[in-house]
Amino acid sequence: MLTDEKLNFLSQVGKALAGQFGENCEIVIHRIDPNDMNHTIVSIENGQVSSRQLGDGPSQIVLETLKKIQQNCMIISTILRTPMTVVYLSPVHSI
């Protein structure tokens, strides 16, 4: 479960990562609630990258990752590339 204490810690890490990698690096933290999958974003840095904001829902890649986890598939990692940045996405973990 993502407690307020853990969310605060992760938000600080997100700010640090966004500061390190610059304005073209979007950092998103989701609180996954199966009863409300339309409003999962609880922290976001550089939301202008995707035009997402607090309270928005998960991206398609997050939904696909969650589905794979539910199917007990092994997920190693995903790398997304755009002309301006490379993003490494680690597997979704329950904290």
Side-chain angles (χ1 to χ4, degrees), residues 13-75:
V13 171
K15 285 180 195 278
L17 288 170
Q20 177 67 34
F21 292 105
E23 64 184 22
N24 293 315
C25 176
E26 182 178 80
I27 307 293
V28 181
I29 299 170
H30 296 271
R31 179 176 283 153
I32 303 299
D33 178 356
N35 298 317
D36 185 10
M37 290 300 290
N38 293 318
H39 305 96
T40 62
I41 296 178
V42 293
S43 178
I44 187 166
E45 297 295 324
N46 297 323
Q48 76 279 359
V49 171
S50 67
S51 299
R52 294 188 294 172
Q53 58 189 1
L54 285 176
D56 284 353
S59 63
Q60 190 60 37
I61 194 163
V62 171
L63 293 172
E64 289 172 7
T65 301
L66 289 170
K67 185 176 180 181
K68 288 178 183 176
I69 289 171
Q70 289 173 346
Q71 295 171 348
N72 293 323
C73 295
M74 179 181 268
I75 301 169

Side-chain angles (χ1 to χ4, degrees), residues 5-21:
E5 182 179 343
K6 290 176 184 177
L7 174 58
N8 183 46
F9 172 75
L10 291 173
S11 294
Q12 291 176 24
V13 171
K15 285 180 195 278
L17 288 170
Q20 177 67 34
F21 292 105

Side-chain angles (χ1 to χ4, degrees), residues 69-84:
I69 289 171
Q70 289 173 346
Q71 295 171 348
N72 293 323
C73 295
M74 179 181 268
I75 301 169
I76 303 300
S77 64
T78 303
I79 296 177
L80 301 177
R81 295 180 185 267
T82 68
M84 304 201 47

